[in-house]
Amino acid sequence: MNDFLKQNSHLLEKPVIVFGTGRSGTTVISEIIFQHEDLAWHSNWQELFPKFAPINYLRRLFDNKYWRIIGMNTQNNKSFRNYVLFRPIERYDFWEAVTGKRIDFSRSFLLNEKATPEEQEHIRTFFARIVKYQKRKRLAIKITGPARMEYLMSIFPDAQFINIQRDPVATIRSWMEIYWNEQITNQLWWQGAYTEAELKKAEELSSDKFLFAAFQYRKLMETTQQEIEKMQPDIYTTSYEDFVKDPQVFIKNLMDFVHLQPSKLVDAFMQKLSIANRNERKAVSEKSEITPEIKQQIMEIVNA
């Protein structure tokens, strides 16, 4: 272990890892929790300079004892100012850079995969620098897609996971509404977990974008459960539906689970948000309209 990591390994104790399928509520929930003054996280600036840890000193310019100007998810604020502000983000150029060429972090399920000792030291050192340079006490991570639990626990063995789930029909409808829907409906986006029989089934479903997406949703949920049973992590599984039902109680319960003290910054951020149950809204276009027949077919695939 290098000297920097020896001196700063305490910054990686019990990192908080928020994950879900994508479009499951992970963004808004993690963004609320990440307002906590103790937490450091992957930022938009780190994504621009994925191999340059000192970029995290920038947070001190935006967030210090004199002022706090932190940006938010660009889905909710598309102003130029927000794009420039230091803010949490979930993108994968950084992950590909920090995990190295051996691992396809963004596109692989990473089942039965562990980081090598050399990779562990490199990755832990980089994340410790993120926390230290942001002048925080603890690491927080948000990812979507596969849980990648065994791989992440080989790096952060005492990680605390927050698993956010959402109604599958609402999730798949939301997948259809976003910019990468063509990617996920034209191919099996995540690789390395399908049997030959599953690949054949996927080919049969590939002509219907909703059913093809449902097939991939099911695999995400299935592999997550497999990893939970195998790894026995410290995990809190909850749902988007519980969040929108009572956001304040929901966030308090999450913060209690990960042993975060109450935070005025978290409370103030929540007051700015307009939280509504998006499961109940109408589809934004015909391409995401789900008929009762399609809904039944989706549920048959998900529950098969």
Side-chain angles (χ1 to χ4, degrees):
M1 184 185 298
N2 60 62
D3 289 341
F4 179 88
L5 191 55
K6 286 179 181 178
Q7 295 170 9
N8 295 283
S9 60
H10 64 283
L11 298 175
L12 301 179
E13 292 176 1
K14 293 187 178 299
V16 178
I17 302 178
V18 180
F19 75 97
T21 61
R23 311 302 291 181
S24 57
T26 54
T27 296
V28 63
I29 291 167
S30 64
E31 196 167 38
I32 292 169
I33 297 171
F34 288 8
Q35 299 301 311
H36 198 283
E37 54 268 30
D38 288 349
L39 298 180
W41 23 258
H42 169 206
S43 76
N44 53 320
W45 286 94
Q46 183 69 82
E47 190 67 14
L48 288 173
F49 303 94
K51 296 184 179 181
F52 187 59
I55 197 66
N56 288 279
Y57 280 115
L58 264 181
R59 182 170 181 184
R60 303 188 189 193
L61 177 63
F62 291 102
D63 185 4
N64 52 63
K65 66 180 181 179
Y66 300 107
W67 58 76
R68 188 171 202 266
I69 315 172
I70 292 293
M72 64 192 305
N73 187 273
T74 54
Q75 295 173 20
N76 299 318
N77 187 335
K78 298 184 182 297
S79 69
F80 175 76
R81 177 177 181 272
N82 188 59
Y83 275 94
V84 173
L85 293 177
F86 202 90
R87 54 187 166 83
I89 198 172
E90 182 222 350
R91 299 250 179 97
Y92 288 93
D93 284 349
F94 162 70
W95 278 104
E96 296 294 347
V98 77
T99 57
K101 295 181 179 179
R102 188 181 71 85
I103 295 296
D104 184 355
F105 192 89
S106 63
R107 296 287 302 277
S108 175
F109 283 90
L110 296 181
L111 295 180
N112 305 309
E113 185 67 73
K114 296 181 176 68
T116 67
E118 294 77 17
E119 289 167 346
Q120 291 171 22
E121 180 171 345
H122 169 71
I123 296 167
R124 284 179 62 84
T125 299
F126 201 104
F127 275 106
R129 293 187 188 280
I130 289 177
V131 182
K132 186 176 182 66
Y133 297 165
Q134 289 187 25
K135 204 176 182 181
R136 306 294 136 172
K137 298 178 180 178
R138 193 174 174 190
L139 176 64
I141 294 169
K142 180 239 181 179
I143 59 171
T144 54
R148 308 169 180 91
M149 195 171 291
E150 185 166 358
Y151 179 76
L152 288 169
M153 288 183 71
S154 73
I155 301 164
F156 308 111
D158 60 347
Q160 292 188 285
F161 290 88
I162 298 173
N163 178 18
I164 309 296
Q165 300 180 353
R166 184 185 181 188
D167 173 79
V169 175
T171 302
I172 291 164
R173 183 184 66 185
S174 189
W175 281 2
M176 296 302 108
E177 294 172 348
I178 57 176
Y179 70 92
W180 55 273
N181 73 81
E182 294 293 335
Q183 296 172 330
I184 201 168
T185 55
N186 288 337
Q187 61 193 308
L188 293 174
W189 183 250
W190 299 282
Q191 304 292 326
Y194 294 102
T195 65
E196 287 299 321
E198 287 173 328
L199 291 173
K200 183 177 179 181
K201 182 64 175 178
E203 181 64 27
E204 294 173 3
L205 297 172
S206 62
S207 61
D208 188 304
K209 63 181 181 179
F210 291 105
L211 304 188
F212 191 57
F215 184 80
Q216 295 184 71
Y217 174 95
R218 179 189 172 206
K219 195 62 177 178
L220 289 174
M221 301 301 287
E222 182 182 88
T223 54
T224 294
Q225 188 57 39
Q226 290 172 356
E227 289 209 283
I228 289 173
E229 292 173 2
K230 178 179 182 179
M231 301 305 298
Q232 296 293 304
D234 188 7
I235 190 167
Y236 185 100
T237 298
T238 187
S239 70
Y240 168 79
E241 289 75 18
D242 284 344
F243 167 65
V244 295
K245 189 184 304 178
D246 195 333
Q248 284 74 25
V249 170
F250 181 96
I251 293 299
K252 180 184 183 303
N253 289 341
L254 283 194
M255 289 175 58
D256 286 347
F257 169 72
V258 295
H259 308 296
L260 288 173
Q261 293 297 313
S263 168
K264 292 181 180 179
L265 297 177
V266 171
D267 295 342
F269 185 77
M270 287 194 71
Q271 290 177 6
K272 298 178 183 178
L273 298 179
S274 176
I275 298 171
N277 188 347
R278 291 178 174 266
N279 289 3
E280 299 174 355
R281 67 184 175 86
K282 294 181 179 180
V284 298
S285 67
E286 290 183 2
K287 71 178 182 180
S288 59
E289 185 69 44
I290 296 180
T291 66
E293 181 183 6
I294 293 174
K295 179 178 180 179
Q296 181 179 346
Q297 292 175 305
I298 288 173
M299 293 309 297
E300 287 173 357
I301 291 172
V302 170
N303 295 323

Coordinates of all heavy atoms in Angstrom, one line a residue, residues 69-135:
I69 N -22.2 27.0 -3.5 CA -22.9 27.1 -4.7 C -22.7 25.8 -5.5 O -21.8 25.7 -6.3 CB -22.4 28.3 -5.6 CG1 -22.2 29.6 -4.7 CG2 -23.3 28.6 -6.7 CD1 -21.5 30.7 -5.4
I70 N -23.6 24.8 -5.2 CA -23.5 23.5 -5.8 C -24.5 23.4 -6.9 O -25.7 23.8 -6.7 CB -23.6 22.4 -4.8 CG1 -22.4 22.4 -3.8 CG2 -23.8 21.0 -5.4 CD1 -21.1 22.0 -4.5
G71 N -24.2 22.8 -8.1 CA -25.1 22.7 -9.1 C -26.0 21.4 -8.9 O -25.9 20.7 -7.9
M72 N -27.0 21.2 -9.8 CA -27.9 20.1 -9.7 C -28.0 19.4 -11.0 O -27.4 19.8 -12.0 CB -29.3 20.6 -9.2 CG -30.0 21.5 -10.2 SD -31.4 22.3 -9.5 CE -32.4 20.9 -8.9
N73 N -28.7 18.3 -11.0 CA -28.8 17.5 -12.2 C -29.4 18.4 -13.4 O -30.3 19.1 -13.2 CB -29.8 16.3 -12.0 CG -29.9 15.4 -13.1 OD1 -30.6 15.6 -14.1 ND2 -29.0 14.4 -13.1
T74 N -28.8 18.2 -14.5 CA -29.2 19.1 -15.7 C -30.6 18.7 -16.2 O -31.1 19.5 -17.0 CB -28.1 19.0 -16.8 OG1 -27.9 17.6 -17.2 CG2 -26.8 19.6 -16.3
Q75 N -31.2 17.6 -15.8 CA -32.5 17.4 -16.2 C -33.5 18.4 -15.6 O -34.5 18.8 -16.2 CB -33.0 16.0 -15.7 CG -32.2 14.8 -16.3 CD -32.6 13.5 -15.6 OE1 -33.6 13.4 -15.0 NE2 -31.8 12.5 -15.8
N76 N -33.1 18.9 -14.4 CA -33.9 19.9 -13.7 C -33.4 21.3 -13.9 O -34.2 22.3 -13.5 CB -33.9 19.6 -12.2 CG -34.5 18.2 -11.9 OD1 -35.5 17.8 -12.5 ND2 -33.9 17.4 -11.0
N77 N -32.2 21.5 -14.4 CA -31.7 22.9 -14.5 C -30.7 22.9 -15.7 O -29.6 22.4 -15.6 CB -31.0 23.3 -13.2 CG -30.6 24.8 -13.3 OD1 -30.4 25.4 -14.4 ND2 -30.5 25.4 -12.2
K78 N -31.2 23.4 -16.8 CA -30.3 23.4 -18.0 C -29.6 24.7 -18.3 O -29.1 24.9 -19.4 CB -31.2 23.0 -19.2 CG -31.9 21.6 -19.1 CD -32.6 21.3 -20.4 CE -33.3 19.9 -20.3 NZ -32.4 18.8 -20.1
S79 N -29.5 25.6 -17.3 CA -28.8 26.8 -17.5 C -27.3 26.6 -17.6 O -26.8 25.7 -17.1 CB -29.1 27.7 -16.3 OG -28.4 27.2 -15.1
F80 N -26.7 27.6 -18.3 CA -25.2 27.5 -18.5 C -24.5 27.5 -17.1 O -23.6 26.8 -16.9 CB -24.8 28.7 -19.4 CG -23.3 28.7 -19.5 CD1 -22.6 27.9 -20.3 CD2 -22.5 29.7 -18.8 CE1 -21.2 27.9 -20.4 CE2 -21.2 29.7 -18.8 CZ -20.5 28.8 -19.7
R81 N -25.1 28.4 -16.2 CA -24.5 28.5 -14.9 C -24.5 27.1 -14.2 O -23.5 26.7 -13.6 CB -25.3 29.5 -14.1 CG -24.8 29.6 -12.6 CD -25.7 30.7 -11.9 NE -25.3 30.9 -10.5 CZ -25.8 30.3 -9.5 NH1 -26.7 29.3 -9.7 NH2 -25.4 30.5 -8.3
N82 N -25.5 26.4 -14.3 CA -25.6 25.1 -13.7 C -24.6 24.1 -14.3 O -24.0 23.2 -13.6 CB -27.0 24.5 -13.8 CG -27.2 23.2 -12.9 OD1 -27.0 23.2 -11.7 ND2 -27.6 22.1 -13.6
Y83 N -24.4 24.2 -15.6 CA -23.4 23.3 -16.2 C -22.0 23.5 -15.7 O -21.2 22.6 -15.6 CB -23.5 23.5 -17.8 CG -24.5 22.7 -18.5 CD1 -25.8 23.2 -18.7 CD2 -24.3 21.4 -18.8 CE1 -26.8 22.5 -19.4 CE2 -25.3 20.6 -19.5 CZ -26.5 21.2 -19.7 OH -27.5 20.4 -20.3
V84 N -21.7 24.8 -15.4 CA -20.4 25.1 -14.9 C -20.1 24.8 -13.5 O -19.0 24.5 -13.1 CB -20.1 26.6 -15.2 CG1 -18.8 27.1 -14.6 CG2 -20.1 26.9 -16.7
L85 N -21.2 24.9 -12.7 CA -21.0 24.7 -11.2 C -20.6 23.3 -10.9 O -20.9 22.3 -11.7 CB -22.4 25.0 -10.5 CG -22.9 26.4 -10.5 CD1 -24.2 26.5 -9.8 CD2 -21.9 27.3 -9.8
F86 N -19.9 23.1 -9.8 CA -19.4 21.8 -9.4 C -20.7 21.0 -8.9 O -21.4 21.5 -8.0 CB -18.4 22.0 -8.2 CG -17.5 20.8 -8.0 CD1 -16.3 20.8 -8.6 CD2 -17.9 19.8 -7.1 CE1 -15.4 19.7 -8.4 CE2 -17.0 18.7 -6.9 CZ -15.8 18.7 -7.5
R87 N -20.9 19.9 -9.4 CA -22.1 19.1 -9.1 C -21.9 17.6 -9.3 O -21.0 17.2 -10.1 CB -23.3 19.5 -10.0 CG -23.0 19.5 -11.5 CD -24.1 20.1 -12.3 NE -23.7 20.3 -13.7 CZ -23.7 19.3 -14.6 NH1 -24.1 18.1 -14.3 NH2 -23.3 19.6 -15.9
P88 N -22.6 16.8 -8.5 CA -22.5 15.3 -8.7 C -23.1 14.9 -10.0 O -24.0 15.5 -10.6 CB -23.4 14.8 -7.5 CG -24.3 15.9 -7.2 CD -23.6 17.2 -7.5
I89 N -22.5 13.8 -10.5 CA -22.8 13.3 -11.9 C -22.6 11.8 -11.9 O -21.9 11.3 -11.1 CB -22.0 14.1 -13.0 CG1 -22.6 13.9 -14.3 CG2 -20.6 13.5 -13.0 CD1 -21.9 14.8 -15.4
E90 N -23.3 11.2 -12.9 CA -23.1 9.8 -13.1 C -22.8 9.6 -14.6 O -23.8 9.6 -15.4 CB -24.3 8.9 -12.7 CG -24.0 7.4 -12.9 CD -25.3 6.7 -13.5 OE1 -26.4 7.3 -13.6 OE2 -25.1 5.6 -13.9
R91 N -21.5 9.5 -15.0 CA -21.2 9.2 -16.3 C -20.0 8.2 -16.2 O -19.5 7.9 -15.1 CB -20.7 10.5 -17.0 CG -21.8 11.5 -17.1 CD -22.4 11.7 -18.5 NE -23.5 12.7 -18.6 CZ -23.3 14.0 -18.9 NH1 -22.1 14.4 -19.2 NH2 -24.4 14.8 -18.9
Y92 N -19.5 7.7 -17.4 CA -18.7 6.6 -17.3 C -17.3 6.7 -17.9 O -16.5 5.8 -17.8 CB -19.4 5.3 -17.9 CG -20.5 4.9 -16.9 CD1 -21.8 5.3 -17.0 CD2 -20.2 4.1 -15.8 CE1 -22.7 5.0 -16.1 CE2 -21.1 3.7 -14.9 CZ -22.4 4.1 -15.1 OH -23.4 3.8 -14.2
D93 N -16.9 7.9 -18.4 CA -15.6 8.1 -18.9 C -14.6 8.0 -17.7 O -13.5 7.4 -17.8 CB -15.4 9.5 -19.6 CG -16.0 9.5 -21.0 OD1 -16.3 8.4 -21.5 OD2 -16.1 10.6 -21.5
F94 N -15.0 8.6 -16.6 CA -14.2 8.5 -15.4 C -14.0 7.1 -14.9 O -12.9 6.6 -14.6 CB -14.8 9.3 -14.3 CG -14.3 9.0 -12.9 CD1 -13.0 9.3 -12.5 CD2 -15.1 8.3 -12.0 CE1 -12.5 8.9 -11.3 CE2 -14.6 8.0 -10.7 CZ -13.3 8.3 -10.4
W95 N -15.2 6.3 -14.9 CA -15.1 4.9 -14.4 C -14.2 4.1 -15.3 O -13.4 3.3 -14.8 CB -16.5 4.3 -14.3 CG -17.2 4.7 -13.1 CD1 -18.2 5.6 -12.9 CD2 -17.0 4.2 -11.8 NE1 -18.6 5.7 -11.6 CE2 -17.9 4.8 -10.9 CE3 -16.1 3.2 -11.2 CZ2 -17.9 4.5 -9.5 CZ3 -16.1 3.0 -9.9 CH2 -17.0 3.6 -9.0
E96 N -14.3 4.3 -16.6 CA -13.4 3.5 -17.5 C -11.9 3.9 -17.3 O -11.1 3.0 -17.4 CB -13.8 3.8 -19.0 CG -15.2 3.4 -19.3 CD -15.4 1.9 -19.3 OE1 -14.4 1.1 -19.2 OE2 -16.5 1.4 -19.3
A97 N -11.7 5.2 -17.0 CA -10.3 5.6 -16.7 C -9.8 5.0 -15.4 O -8.6 4.5 -15.4 CB -10.2 7.1 -16.7
V98 N -10.6 5.1 -14.4 CA -10.1 4.6 -13.1 C -10.0 3.1 -12.9 O -9.1 2.6 -12.2 CB -10.9 5.3 -11.9 CG1 -12.2 4.6 -11.7 CG2 -10.1 5.3 -10.6
T99 N -10.9 2.4 -13.6 CA -10.8 0.9 -13.5 C -9.9 0.3 -14.4 O -9.4 -0.9 -14.2 CB -12.2 0.3 -13.7 OG1 -12.7 0.7 -15.0 CG2 -13.2 0.8 -12.6
G100 N -9.5 1.0 -15.5 CA -8.5 0.5 -16.4 C -9.0 -0.3 -17.5 O -10.2 -0.6 -17.6
K101 N -8.1 -0.7 -18.5 CA -8.5 -1.4 -19.7 C -9.1 -2.8 -19.5 O -9.8 -3.3 -20.4 CB -7.4 -1.4 -20.7 CG -6.9 0.0 -21.1 CD -5.8 -0.1 -22.1 CE -5.3 1.3 -22.6 NZ -4.2 1.3 -23.5
R102 N -8.7 -3.4 -18.5 CA -9.1 -4.8 -18.3 C -10.6 -4.9 -18.0 O -11.3 -5.9 -18.4 CB -8.4 -5.5 -17.1 CG -8.6 -7.0 -17.0 CD -7.8 -7.5 -15.8 NE -8.4 -7.1 -14.5 CZ -9.4 -7.7 -13.9 NH1 -10.0 -8.8 -14.4 NH2 -9.9 -7.3 -12.7
I103 N -11.2 -3.9 -17.4 CA -12.6 -3.9 -17.0 C -13.5 -3.0 -17.9 O -13.1 -1.9 -18.2 CB -12.7 -3.5 -15.6 CG1 -12.0 -4.5 -14.6 CG2 -14.2 -3.3 -15.2 CD1 -12.7 -5.8 -14.6
D104 N -14.6 -3.5 -18.4 CA -15.6 -2.7 -19.1 C -16.6 -2.3 -18.1 O -17.7 -3.0 -18.0 CB -16.2 -3.5 -20.3 CG -17.1 -2.6 -21.1 OD1 -17.3 -1.4 -20.7 OD2 -17.6 -3.1 -22.1
F105 N -16.4 -1.3 -17.3 CA -17.2 -1.0 -16.2 C -18.6 -0.5 -16.7 O -19.6 -0.8 -16.1 CB -16.6 0.1 -15.3 CG -17.3 0.3 -14.0 CD1 -17.0 -0.4 -12.9 CD2 -18.4 1.3 -13.9 CE1 -17.7 -0.2 -11.7 CE2 -19.1 1.5 -12.7 CZ -18.7 0.7 -11.6
S106 N -18.7 0.2 -17.8 CA -20.0 0.8 -18.2 C -20.9 -0.2 -18.8 O -22.1 -0.1 -18.8 CB -19.7 2.0 -19.1 OG -19.1 1.5 -20.3
R107 N -20.3 -1.3 -19.5 CA -21.2 -2.2 -20.3 C -21.2 -3.6 -19.8 O -21.9 -4.4 -20.4 CB -20.6 -2.2 -21.8 CG -20.7 -0.8 -22.5 CD -22.2 -0.5 -22.9 NE -22.8 -1.5 -23.7 CZ -22.6 -1.5 -25.0 NH1 -21.9 -0.7 -25.7 NH2 -23.3 -2.5 -25.7
S108 N -20.5 -3.9 -18.7 CA -20.5 -5.3 -18.3 C -21.2 -5.5 -17.0 O -21.2 -4.6 -16.1 CB -19.0 -5.7 -18.1 OG -19.0 -7.0 -17.5
F109 N -21.8 -6.6 -16.8 CA -22.4 -7.0 -15.5 C -21.4 -7.2 -14.4 O -21.7 -7.1 -13.2 CB -23.3 -8.2 -15.6 CG -24.6 -8.0 -16.3 CD1 -24.8 -8.1 -17.7 CD2 -25.7 -7.7 -15.5 CE1 -26.0 -8.0 -18.3 CE2 -27.0 -7.5 -16.1 CZ -27.1 -7.6 -17.5
L110 N -20.2 -7.6 -14.8 CA -19.1 -7.8 -13.9 C -19.4 -8.9 -12.9 O -19.0 -8.8 -11.7 CB -18.6 -6.5 -13.2 CG -18.0 -5.4 -14.1 CD1 -17.6 -4.2 -13.3 CD2 -16.9 -5.9 -14.9
L111 N -20.2 -9.9 -13.3 CA -20.5 -11.0 -12.4 C -19.2 -11.8 -12.1 O -18.4 -12.1 -13.0 CB -21.6 -11.9 -12.9 CG -22.9 -11.2 -13.1 CD1 -23.9 -12.3 -13.7 CD2 -23.5 -10.7 -11.8
N112 N -19.0 -12.2 -10.9 CA -17.9 -13.0 -10.5 C -16.5 -12.4 -10.8 O -15.5 -13.0 -11.1 CB -17.9 -14.4 -11.2 CG -19.2 -15.1 -10.9 OD1 -19.7 -15.3 -9.8 ND2 -19.9 -15.6 -12.0
E113 N -16.5 -11.0 -10.8 CA -15.3 -10.3 -11.2 C -14.8 -9.5 -9.9 O -15.6 -8.9 -9.2 CB -15.6 -9.3 -12.3 CG -14.4 -8.6 -12.8 CD -13.4 -9.5 -13.5 OE1 -13.7 -9.9 -14.6 OE2 -12.4 -9.7 -12.9
K114 N -13.5 -9.6 -9.7 CA -12.9 -8.8 -8.6 C -11.7 -8.0 -9.2 O -11.1 -8.3 -10.2 CB -12.4 -9.7 -7.5 CG -13.4 -10.5 -6.8 CD -12.7 -11.4 -5.7 CE -13.7 -12.2 -4.9 NZ -14.4 -13.2 -5.7
A115 N -11.5 -6.9 -8.6 CA -10.3 -6.1 -8.9 C -9.0 -6.8 -8.4 O -9.0 -7.5 -7.4 CB -10.4 -4.7 -8.3
T116 N -8.0 -6.8 -9.2 CA -6.7 -7.3 -8.8 C -6.1 -6.5 -7.7 O -6.6 -5.3 -7.5 CB -5.7 -7.4 -9.9 OG1 -5.4 -6.0 -10.3 CG2 -6.3 -8.1 -11.2
P117 N -5.2 -7.0 -6.9 CA -4.6 -6.2 -5.8 C -4.0 -4.8 -6.3 O -4.2 -3.8 -5.7 CB -3.5 -7.1 -5.3 CG -4.0 -8.5 -5.5 CD -4.7 -8.4 -6.8
E118 N -3.4 -4.9 -7.5 CA -2.9 -3.6 -8.1 C -4.0 -2.7 -8.5 O -3.9 -1.5 -8.2 CB -2.0 -3.9 -9.3 CG -0.8 -4.8 -9.1 CD -1.0 -6.2 -8.8 OE1 -2.1 -6.7 -9.2 OE2 -0.1 -6.9 -8.3
E119 N -5.1 -3.2 -9.0 CA -6.2 -2.4 -9.4 C -6.9 -1.8 -8.1 O -7.3 -0.6 -8.1 CB -7.2 -3.2 -10.2 CG -6.7 -3.5 -11.6 CD -7.6 -4.6 -12.3 OE1 -8.4 -5.2 -11.6 OE2 -7.5 -4.7 -13.5
Q120 N -7.0 -2.6 -7.1 CA -7.6 -2.2 -5.8 C -6.8 -1.0 -5.3 O -7.4 0.0 -4.9 CB -7.6 -3.3 -4.8 CG -8.5 -4.4 -5.1 CD -8.3 -5.6 -4.2 OE1 -7.8 -5.4 -3.1 NE2 -8.7 -6.8 -4.6
E121 N -5.5 -1.1 -5.3 CA -4.7 0.0 -4.7 C -4.9 1.3 -5.5 O -5.0 2.4 -5.0 CB -3.2 -0.4 -4.6 CG -2.4 0.7 -4.0 CD -0.9 0.3 -3.7 OE1 -0.7 -0.9 -3.7 OE2 -0.1 1.2 -3.5
H122 N -4.8 1.1 -6.9 CA -4.9 2.3 -7.7 C -6.3 3.0 -7.6 O -6.4 4.2 -7.4 CB -4.7 1.9 -9.2 CG -5.1 3.0 -10.2 ND1 -4.3 4.1 -10.3 CD2 -6.2 3.1 -11.0 CE1 -4.9 4.9 -11.2 NE2 -6.0 4.3 -11.7
I123 N -7.4 2.2 -7.6 CA -8.7 2.7 -7.5 C -9.0 3.4 -6.1 O -9.5 4.5 -6.0 CB -9.8 1.7 -7.8 CG1 -9.6 1.2 -9.3 CG2 -11.2 2.2 -7.6 CD1 -10.3 -0.1 -9.6
R124 N -8.6 2.7 -5.1 CA -8.7 3.2 -3.7 C -8.0 4.5 -3.5 O -8.4 5.4 -2.9 CB -8.3 2.2 -2.7 CG -9.4 1.1 -2.5 CD -8.9 0.0 -1.5 NE -8.8 0.6 -0.1 CZ -9.8 0.8 0.7 NH1 -11.0 0.5 0.4 NH2 -9.5 1.3 1.9
T125 N -6.8 4.5 -4.1 CA -6.0 5.8 -4.0 C -6.6 6.9 -4.7 O -6.7 8.0 -4.1 CB -4.6 5.5 -4.6 OG1 -3.9 4.5 -3.8 CG2 -3.7 6.8 -4.5
F126 N -7.2 6.7 -5.9 CA -7.8 7.8 -6.6 C -9.0 8.3 -5.8 O -9.2 9.5 -5.7 CB -8.2 7.3 -8.0 CG -8.4 8.4 -9.0 CD1 -7.4 8.7 -9.9 CD2 -9.5 9.2 -8.9 CE1 -7.6 9.7 -10.8 CE2 -9.7 10.3 -9.8 CZ -8.7 10.5 -10.8
F127 N -9.8 7.4 -5.4 CA -11.1 7.8 -4.6 C -10.7 8.5 -3.3 O -11.4 9.4 -2.9 CB -12.0 6.6 -4.4 CG -12.9 6.3 -5.6 CD1 -12.7 5.3 -6.4 CD2 -14.0 7.2 -5.8 CE1 -13.5 5.0 -7.5 CE2 -14.8 6.9 -6.9 CZ -14.6 5.8 -7.7
A128 N -9.7 8.0 -2.7 CA -9.2 8.7 -1.4 C -8.8 10.1 -1.8 O -9.0 11.1 -1.0 CB -8.1 7.9 -0.8
R129 N -8.2 10.3 -2.9 CA -7.8 11.7 -3.3 C -9.0 12.5 -3.6 O -9.1 13.7 -3.2 CB -6.9 11.6 -4.6 CG -5.5 11.0 -4.4 CD -4.6 11.1 -5.6 NE -3.4 10.4 -5.4 CZ -2.3 10.8 -4.7 NH1 -2.4 12.0 -4.2 NH2 -1.3 10.0 -4.6
I130 N -10.0 11.9 -4.2 CA -11.3 12.7 -4.4 C -11.8 13.2 -3.1 O -12.2 14.4 -3.0 CB -12.3 11.8 -5.1 CG1 -11.9 11.5 -6.6 CG2 -13.7 12.4 -5.1 CD1 -12.9 10.6 -7.3
V131 N -11.9 12.3 -2.1 CA -12.5 12.8 -0.8 C -11.6 13.8 -0.2 O -12.1 14.8 0.3 CB -12.7 11.5 0.1 CG1 -13.3 12.0 1.4 CG2 -13.5 10.5 -0.5
K132 N -10.3 13.6 -0.2 CA -9.4 14.5 0.5 C -9.4 15.9 -0.2 O -9.4 16.9 0.5 CB -8.0 13.9 0.5 CG -7.0 14.7 1.3 CD -5.6 14.1 1.4 CE -4.7 14.9 2.3 NZ -5.1 14.9 3.7
Y133 N -9.3 15.9 -1.5 CA -9.2 17.1 -2.3 C -10.5 17.9 -2.2 O -10.5 19.1 -2.3 CB -8.8 16.9 -3.7 CG -7.4 16.2 -3.9 CD1 -7.0 15.7 -5.1 CD2 -6.5 16.2 -2.8 CE1 -5.8 15.1 -5.3 CE2 -5.3 15.6 -3.0 CZ -4.9 15.1 -4.2 OH -3.7 14.5 -4.4
Q134 N -11.6 17.2 -2.1 CA -12.9 17.9 -1.9 C -13.1 18.4 -0.4 O -14.0 19.1 -0.1 CB -14.1 17.0 -2.3 CG -14.2 16.8 -3.8 CD -15.5 16.1 -4.2 OE1 -16.5 16.1 -3.5 NE2 -15.4 15.4 -5.3
K135 N -12.2 17.9 0.5 CA -12.2 18.3 1.9 C -13.4 17.8 2.6 O -14.1 18.5 3.3 CB -12.0 19.8 2.1 CG -11.5 20.2 3.4 CD -11.2 21.7 3.5 CE -10.6 22.1 4.9 NZ -10.4 23.5 5.0

